[in-house]
Amino acid sequence: MKQHYDFSLITIVNRETVYREFKASLAQQTGVDYELIRLDNEQQQYQSARQAFNEAAQSAQGDYLVFLHPDIRFLDSQALQRILTQIKALPNLGVAGVAGSPKELKNGDRVILTTIVQGGEQAPVGEPITKPTLVQTLDECFFVMTKAFWQAHPFTDCPGWHFYAVEQSLVALLAGKQNYVVPAHLWHTSAGASEDYHYVQIARRMIKQYGSAFPTINTTVRKWETRGWQAQVKSLLYLGKRYITTYLRK
């Protein structure tokens, strides 16, 4: 059995039907030397994405670790090759991906840099790019780091299922690395809605942990201010709104 690969593709599986469709799409890809690591979570075996990814990364045989959702679909047979070829050429790489948010925002509002499409109608999202572009943070749907970087900076013990790519992006910047979004011919079949109260709870944890280094944490979901009482009040009010929304859905 082969013991070394260029890339380790790592995905957490909550629904077998979605994973089978992902594998069928992946099977059409050409020109990429990879292993596929499936993390079974259909019975909620894992307490957090970070826990699952650290476990997989420990045994991964690739030089690069590719963390991706199983609802990603490739829109042509060379889509994965083009993404990963671009990422291998990036200087001073921290984390790279297919969607992200820059350090500087237009009019202080959310900015998504990406070429992927999303949802059942394959709708474009955000602002398209034509070349690798520097960002502050990456979206969780598809992101990449070297195994050497992960060994130096494994995922933290933060619980839950949100902000894990964002946090790795911030860790990379603090380590003097750079984060990038690259053009990608991908379809993220999910509508991308994940902003429940758990998401906001972890956002508040990120604000506390990284606010001294970053005046804002810019994500593909929203901008989070990190400093002063206003930032705390805003995030607390938003948390309350998410609690109410969750209660009303029951």
Side-chain angles (χ1 to χ4, degrees):
M1 180 179 291
K2 187 171 182 179
Q3 295 298 311
H4 180 266
Y5 299 86
D6 287 341
F7 302 96
S8 296
L9 276 59
I10 302 169
T11 190
I12 299 171
V13 178
N14 295 308
R15 291 167 51 198
E16 186 63 29
T17 55
V18 174
Y19 178 67
R20 285 200 298 266
E21 292 170 1
F22 166 75
K23 281 191 70 177
S25 180
L26 180 61
Q28 302 303 313
Q29 296 304 291
T30 62
V32 179
D33 176 45
Y34 70 87
E35 64 172 339
L36 175 60
I37 301 177
R38 176 190 192 276
L39 292 164
D40 182 11
N41 196 46
E42 290 190 276
Q43 305 300 321
Q44 289 76 56
Q45 294 94 317
Y46 294 101
Q47 299 301 307
S48 73
R50 293 166 174 83
Q51 174 197 1
F53 284 148
N54 276 335
E55 178 181 303
Q58 187 69 40
S59 59
Q61 299 297 315
D63 293 329
Y64 289 79
L65 307 179
V66 184
F67 304 94
L68 70 168
H69 290 181
D71 57 358
I72 287 290
R73 304 290 178 265
F74 304 98
L75 294 176
D76 68 69
S77 63
Q78 294 184 311
L80 183 59
Q81 180 191 43
R82 288 196 300 272
I83 293 167
L84 299 180
T85 297
Q86 290 178 91
I87 289 174
K88 286 181 72 173
L90 294 173
N92 195 29
L93 174 62
V95 187
V98 300
S101 184
K103 179 180 178 181
E104 301 297 331
L105 304 180
K106 294 181 179 178
N107 301 318
D109 200 5
R110 178 181 70 156
V111 174
I112 304 173
L113 300 179
T114 188
T115 58
I116 70 173
V117 294
Q118 183 171 280
E121 297 181 353
Q122 297 191 26
V125 292
E127 299 183 8
I129 55 173
T130 59
K131 62 182 180 180
T133 303
L134 290 171
V135 291
Q136 186 192 53
T137 72
L138 279 305
D139 189 86
E140 276 75 23
C141 70
F142 185 118
F143 65 101
V144 183
M145 66 187 79
T146 65
K147 182 161 186 182
F149 179 82
W150 171 82
Q151 288 171 329
H153 306 281
F155 293 94
T156 70
D157 61 359
C158 178
W161 301 91
H162 303 286
F163 274 87
Y164 47 90
V166 170
E167 185 173 24
Q168 286 301 106
S169 301
L170 299 178
V171 168
L173 294 175
L174 291 174
K177 300 292 186 177
Q178 293 181 312
N179 303 322
Y180 302 84
V181 165
V182 301
H185 198 202
L186 293 184
W187 172 25
H188 186 208
T189 63
S190 167
S194 62
E195 208 175 352
D196 62 8
Y197 72 88
H198 300 290
Y199 175 87
V200 186
Q201 286 176 325
I202 298 179
R204 286 173 55 80
R205 180 167 176 153
M206 295 297 103
I207 289 169
K208 182 177 181 180
Q209 181 72 27
Y210 299 100
S212 62
F214 303 97
T216 64
I217 298 174
N218 306 328
T219 77
T220 55
V221 175
R222 63 184 292 121
K223 178 186 81 170
W224 296 92
E225 296 177 1
T226 65
R227 296 178 183 172
W229 65 267
Q230 296 97 332
Q232 293 298 322
V233 169
K234 284 181 181 179
S235 65
L236 188 60
L237 289 174
Y238 196 66
L239 178 61
K241 290 180 181 179
R242 293 298 100 190
Y243 273 125
I244 292 170
T245 301
T246 302
Y247 176 78
L248 292 175
R249 286 174 180 170
K250 291 183 179 181

